[in-house]
Amino acid sequence: MPKYAKNQGAGFTNAIERVAIVGAGGTVGSHIAKALLETGRHTVTALSRKDSGNRLPEGVLVTSIDYNDEATIVAALKGQQFLIITMAPTAPRDTHSKIVQAAAKAGIPYVMPNGYGGDIDNIKLGEDTMLGPIAKANRDEIESLGMQWITMCCGFWYDYSLAGGDARFGFDFDKRSLTIYDDGNTKNSTSTLSQVGRTVAKVLSLNELPENENDESLTLSTFLNKGVYIKSHVVSQNDMFESVKRVTGTTNAAWTVTYIDSKKRYEDGLAQVKVGNMAGFGKMLYARAFYPGDCYDHSAKVQNALLELPDEILDESTKAGLDLVKELQLRVERMAA
């Protein structure tokens, strides 16, 4: 593709106007879809299974697909300019590849793969959590098919992780208990679901290419085949605990706090995963990210200022997490059923 907008053919608009999303009704997909629609610059189309019960944000167009019939996916993606994939970890392992293969056949130039995590350059941490090699394979496949990718390096979703039970940030709000890794002072880069949605909308609202060789403005092409690094808060569990107590109006006396070695917690979770018990995956993933000196802190790389993202208030993000608790509990019950 020529480097500048001036070199493009007739009909080129230098804007991403048509965006397709897989998982537009899901945890992060719904926030991305809503933020894109709020810009007023994008048509958002959700690719949805016929039997899907997900509620979609108002204004999202819906196209039904069958993951076992590639022609339906190709047809749904025809004419789209950007594809965003957000999938639950319970999705069949070959689903991502099926979508990407269809996207290439549909002529889509850009894909945001299913990989909303930490620093993609921290290879060892990615290997230890098992997520890094999968995300790398997804990006490599996109490139091998002649497309380009942009991935979100946002760290753990703060509100989602706070609400998700003891295996994540250690909080069990029903029991008023907290499991703290080591001394609780290891800080991680985290992002709220809203900040992730806001960031994707910002990037996709940029011009696709510089107008000419003198145009030094930020464009979508700036981020191609790279990670977009953002944060909402760089916090330790102790920071979170102080915020939770402020938001809930509680004191230390109301909570049962247990301290655990992060490396032991990781090993225990990994042992469960190795025998097929995926209940250990969350324990493994989060404990590994809290290793002192080797954690999910990519704050030195964040591009919040470049993208003019707003500063967020920790207690407001904590309140959003508390509001998610019941919703996530019901989700687990539905999956178990």
Side-chain angles (χ1 to χ4, degrees):
M1 179 185 291
K3 193 174 180 180
Y4 303 111
K6 70 174 186 177
N7 303 127
Q8 305 304 302
F12 181 73
T13 60
N14 205 19
I16 299 296
E17 298 171 334
R18 300 177 302 281
V19 182
I21 303 182
V22 175
T27 301
V28 73
S30 60
H31 286 267
I32 292 173
K34 183 171 179 288
L36 284 167
L37 289 170
E38 285 175 352
T39 68
R41 304 178 62 159
H42 309 282
T43 299
V44 178
T45 300
L47 274 61
S48 180
R49 298 187 317 273
K50 290 181 179 178
D51 58 349
S52 174
N54 278 348
R55 294 174 57 187
L56 298 170
E58 187 175 349
V60 172
L61 306 176
V62 184
T63 300
S64 294
I65 61 169
D66 179 351
Y67 285 116
N68 295 315
D69 182 356
E70 184 183 63
T72 66
I73 311 174
V74 174
L77 293 175
K78 279 285 186 184
Q80 300 292 332
Q81 295 169 282
F82 200 105
L83 168 63
I84 297 171
I85 304 174
T86 74
M87 297 190 312
T90 51
R93 290 293 291 272
D94 64 345
T95 304
H96 196 280
S97 182
K98 287 180 178 180
I99 296 165
V100 169
Q101 296 277 345
K105 291 177 181 176
I108 286 188
Y110 311 120
V111 180
M112 181 169 287
N114 195 55
Y116 302 80
D119 186 354
I120 57 175
D121 295 328
N122 191 332
I123 306 302
K124 180 64 166 64
L125 199 156
E127 290 173 346
D128 288 350
T129 61
M130 301 184 178
L131 295 178
I134 296 171
K136 176 70 163 57
N138 289 342
R139 299 192 298 270
D140 287 348
E141 182 176 27
I142 291 166
E143 287 190 52
S144 74
L145 292 167
M147 299 178 289
Q148 293 176 290
W149 53 268
I150 298 174
T151 197
M152 290 297 306
C153 298
C154 52
F156 289 126
W157 300 325
Y158 178 80
D159 34 0
Y160 173 87
S161 298
L162 189 72
D166 173 78
R168 292 178 184 153
F169 282 164
F171 290 86
D172 186 321
F173 289 99
D174 289 339
K175 296 178 180 177
R176 285 268 174 89
S177 67
L178 170 60
T179 299
I180 290 182
Y181 307 112
D182 306 311
D183 62 4
N185 288 324
T186 299
K187 292 182 182 287
N188 273 291
S189 301
T190 67
S191 300
T192 61
L193 292 165
S194 295
Q195 187 82 312
V196 176
R198 190 181 296 122
T199 303
V200 175
K202 284 259 189 182
V203 172
L204 267 61
S205 294
L206 298 169
N207 282 348
E208 185 177 346
L209 298 170
E211 289 294 339
N212 52 50
E213 54 270 21
N214 299 316
D215 182 0
E216 297 181 357
S217 61
L218 200 63
T219 63
L220 180 85
S221 63
T222 306
F223 300 99
L224 293 177
N225 292 350
K226 297 176 184 175
V228 180
Y229 288 81
I230 64 163
K231 69 171 179 64
S232 293
H233 312 290
V234 182
V235 285
S236 67
Q237 285 182 291
N238 288 333
D239 296 330
M240 297 177 208
F241 191 26
E242 292 304 313
S243 179
V244 165
K245 286 185 290 184
R246 289 192 297 268
V247 171
T248 59
T250 57
T251 64
N252 286 349
W255 290 82
T256 300
V257 179
T258 303
Y259 292 84
I260 189 166
D261 182 84
S262 58
K263 293 186 178 180
K264 183 181 185 306
R265 173 90 151 189
Y266 168 80
E267 296 294 345
D268 289 347
L270 182 61
Q272 287 181 275
V273 171
K274 284 182 174 178
V275 296
N277 181 1
M278 293 310 292
F281 183 76
K283 287 165 59 177
M284 177 200 77
L285 174 64
Y286 281 80
R288 177 61 186 84
F290 279 93
Y291 276 17
D294 188 12
C295 57
Y296 259 14
D297 183 8
H298 58 247
S299 53
K301 292 186 174 184
V302 297
Q303 298 164 300
N304 289 44
L306 183 68
L307 291 165
E308 299 180 343
L309 298 174
D311 292 331
E312 293 172 285
I313 298 170
L314 180 59
D315 287 2
E316 290 181 359
S317 302
T318 296
K319 174 67 167 59
L322 289 167
D323 291 342
L324 267 177
V325 172
K326 292 300 180 188
E327 179 183 329
L328 293 187
Q329 288 174 343
L330 287 171
R331 190 180 302 176
V332 170
E333 291 169 7
R334 286 197 300 269
M335 287 174 66

